[in-house]
Amino acid sequence: METVFRLESPRVIAGVARIVRDVGIAEELAQDALVAALEQWPRDGVPDNPGAWLMATARHRAVDLVRRRETYARKLQEIGRDRTLSSPAPYDEPADPDGIDDDLLRLVFTTCHPVLSPEARTALTLRLLGGLSTAEIARAHLVPEPTIAQRIVRAKRTLAARNVAFEVPCGPDREARLDSVLDVIYLVFNEGYAATAGEDLLRPGLCEDALRLARVLSALMPKEPEVHGLAALLEFQASRTAARTGPDGGPVLLKDQNRRRWNRMLIARGVQALDRARATATGAPGRYALQAAIAACHAHAYTYEETDWRTIATLYGLLAARAPSPVVELNRAVAVSMADGPAEGLKLVDALAAEPALRDYHLLPSVRGDLLARLGRTAQARAEFERAAALARNGRERELLLRRADEVPS
């Protein structure tokens, strides 16, 4: 039941928000539907389509709520007098000039409204669209959990107080929200691609939602290079999904992946999207186009040994200048180690040791352990892998890191 709700809650919240026009209330109604499921499913059995059951239950409660409001007559015209639980009638909404009919996309643009701070937009969207817990969002942003909790609560209140419309905006309003929308789609995909916590490495449903939203945006905004850059990046990353886990669900490192399992159709789509990003750009490439170019280098290498690490290191240098962050620098260190040797990479990694944002980031000691192992400093490498395992919140990653510690020669 927990798995079903985690998979379906974004669609339920988005569908209900379209009725009640309040994302906070929509989340509460989705949770009410879960409570109803907890009461009824053990007694009556799990329905054939659990997601549809949750959606219908939440919508029914949303309609009841709207009917109790003082604006009953006006809302009743919008949602239809004879709506039934099993077969909701279409909504009478203003026509979207771009013909976009996607509740998830509306939810993203609503939670990325400029009345919210960038940090609040990201946290709220990850909570509602990604189904992430407060702890998972805090982990992804490398900030304390209470900070994220406060951001989410304040964001919901602000959207309700300002009566923000549940819509995909047009013209300048759409452009004003674009950066935040791209950021949250990227973060939702990342959570699906490498889950922050839990026992599963992948959450494919999140990857699929994020990829679909990126494709919709590409059609919606064909002249925006970063939209195409993000779409290209997600296509390339999604192409590797089947090869990223073994038969037992455990992670498979990039160098060990069977590249024949990489999806060549998605790679081709990534190449096309990256070409569009370059064709529409009028200046230096943006951060998503640069990351897509890095992913393209991996996609074009038919074996790990053929990877053009020097180009990747150069691209990471450009990305660090365009969008500086400790995580980008850590990735650049890995590329430099492959291009110029582990000693050069270790210098860059050690320079990041004092970064507060990376203090509890398990990939820092993981990368350091790999570089130390390549340099023959086995005792230190083993200690770093063990430290990384202690910091990892995802069970599959923890198992891999402990296994790597055991595999380091004595």
Side-chain angles (χ1 to χ4, degrees), residues 195-201 251 392-400:
T196 303
E199 295 305 316
D200 294 323
L201 180 69
R393 295 281 299 278
N394 183 279
R396 295 294 188 176
E397 285 189 302
R398 190 182 308 116
E399 292 172 3
L400 172 65

Side-chain angles (χ1 to χ4, degrees), residues 9 39 45 51 89 170 199 205 278 297 318 372:
S9 63
E39 294 171 349
C170 305
E199 295 305 316
R278 289 166 173 163
C297 288
L318 295 173
L372 289 168

